Amino acid sequence: MGSEILVEDRGKVLLITMNRPEKLNAMNKELRDNLIKTIRDFNRNPEKRVVVITGAGRAFSVGADLSSMSQDLAEDLRNSFHVIIKEIRFSPKIFISAVKGVAAGAGISLALATDIRYTTKETRFVTAFHNIALAPDSGMTLMLLRMAGIKAEKYALLGGEFTGEEAEKMGLFQVVEDPLAEALRAAEKIANGQFKSYSASKRLINRVMYYDLEDFLDYEAAMQGALGKTYDFSEGVKAFLEKRQPQFKGE
């Protein structure tokens, strides 16, 4: 296991920490690959019941590391980001996220995919796909609107940011003083309780909320792949790397 992911075995509970604090836990290919392997190993282990996911340093995760993306955004989504979301969402086990500092892009999607989500009042959630002429990905639009409805539509449509306190009002997260401590307490209680009941409840929730997630992700990948071939996307990434304002043309 690479240093991009730290894994702590706590019996029936596994603690996963994204560990690129100097890059605000941006998800490069190594981090994504390690995360997929870790979650798959957890899902296959009959002794494990609950995962807690958090980030080292000042952020949960700012999403994709643009320097590690391939030329085919659709394939990046299908082969890594979407795999992570589906491994979490369709697992019979319980996933909990502990989010503080900042979460952006696919980092928000990762947190939303978990079953229980803790954050702080001051956490900043940033939807900035439009800054590089992309649409939200990694299932964000479906999860955000299914959970929060019309109150979250503007963030999917135009981008922007909201605080942890606002996220709680939208029903997305629970605000607590110490998200990681609260997540670990909840994980122990679930792991040592009536786990089959919790697992069955998750399957029922999936039947109501995420019955069409796979079809949605396929559609999202195709759309993002097309956007990745536009002039505006190339200009957006170039401007981001050069730390200047992009000059978009709408094409």
Side-chain angles (χ1 to χ4, degrees):
M1 188 61 61
S3 61
E4 295 84 5
I5 292 285
L6 302 179
V7 180
E8 183 180 336
D9 191 327
R10 302 171 70 100
K12 296 175 184 176
V13 174
L14 199 70
L15 172 60
I16 299 174
T17 303
M18 293 178 282
N19 188 45
R20 299 185 75 211
E22 74 287 354
K23 298 292 185 180
L24 300 180
N25 300 316
M27 298 182 196
N28 62 0
K29 187 175 187 303
E30 290 74 20
L31 189 152
R32 300 194 311 266
D33 288 347
N34 287 334
L35 192 56
I36 290 169
K37 182 181 187 308
T38 301
I39 293 174
R40 281 179 168 165
D41 288 347
F42 163 80
N43 281 332
R44 293 175 183 139
N45 188 338
E47 303 300 317
K48 303 297 180 189
R49 293 182 173 179
V50 184
V51 158
V52 173
I53 302 177
T54 193
R58 299 181 293 113
F60 178 72
S61 171
V62 293
D65 185 333
L66 293 180
S67 67
S68 74
M69 301 298 287
S70 75
Q71 295 297 311
D72 191 335
L73 297 186
E75 285 305 301
D76 277 336
L77 288 172
R78 293 189 183 105
N79 294 334
S80 61
F81 292 99
H82 287 178
V83 175
I84 294 167
I85 299 303
K86 289 189 285 187
E87 284 287 336
I88 293 172
R89 198 58 254 162
F90 296 140
S91 170
K93 302 184 181 186
I94 305 301
F95 287 73
I96 303 174
S97 53
V99 181
K100 65 177 183 178
V102 62
I108 299 176
S109 300
L110 173 59
L112 290 178
T114 63
D115 304 293
I116 302 171
R117 300 165 296 278
Y118 294 108
T119 193
T120 67
K121 285 184 179 181
E122 299 80 16
T123 299
R124 292 171 53 233
F125 294 92
V126 183
T127 57
F129 297 94
H130 305 86
N131 292 351
I132 53 171
L134 293 179
D137 64 30
S138 302
M140 182 189 293
T141 304
L142 184 146
M143 294 186 287
L144 196 62
L145 297 184
R146 290 271 167 89
M147 292 182 200
I150 197 68
K151 289 179 284 188
E153 183 183 28
K154 63 182 179 180
Y155 300 111
L157 181 64
L158 299 175
E161 66 177 79
F162 51 91
T163 65
E165 188 171 20
E166 290 168 321
E168 184 176 52
K169 289 177 181 177
M170 288 190 284
L172 301 172
F173 287 81
Q174 299 177 55
V175 166
V176 295
E177 288 294 323
D178 188 336
L180 181 55
E182 194 67 35
L184 290 171
R185 278 193 291 269
E188 290 293 338
K189 182 177 180 181
I190 293 167
N192 292 298
Q194 54 274 44
F195 183 73
K196 287 188 177 180
S197 171
Y198 300 135
S199 181
S201 297
K202 178 174 180 175
R203 288 194 290 271
L204 291 172
I205 291 167
N206 279 344
R207 191 67 175 260
V208 172
M209 294 278 285
Y210 303 111
Y211 59 91
D212 55 350
L213 179 60
E214 291 220 51
D215 287 343
F216 176 85
L217 292 176
D218 285 342
Y219 182 72
E220 176 192 271
M223 184 170 293
Q224 206 76 315
L227 288 172
K229 295 178 173 64
T230 63
Y231 166 86
D232 279 354
F233 171 69
S234 297
E235 165 62 10
V237 172
K238 186 177 180 182
F240 175 82
L241 295 175
E242 294 174 357
K243 298 181 179 180
R244 60 173 174 81
Q245 286 295 313
Q247 300 298 313
F248 293 134
K249 295 182 178 181
E251 58 187 47

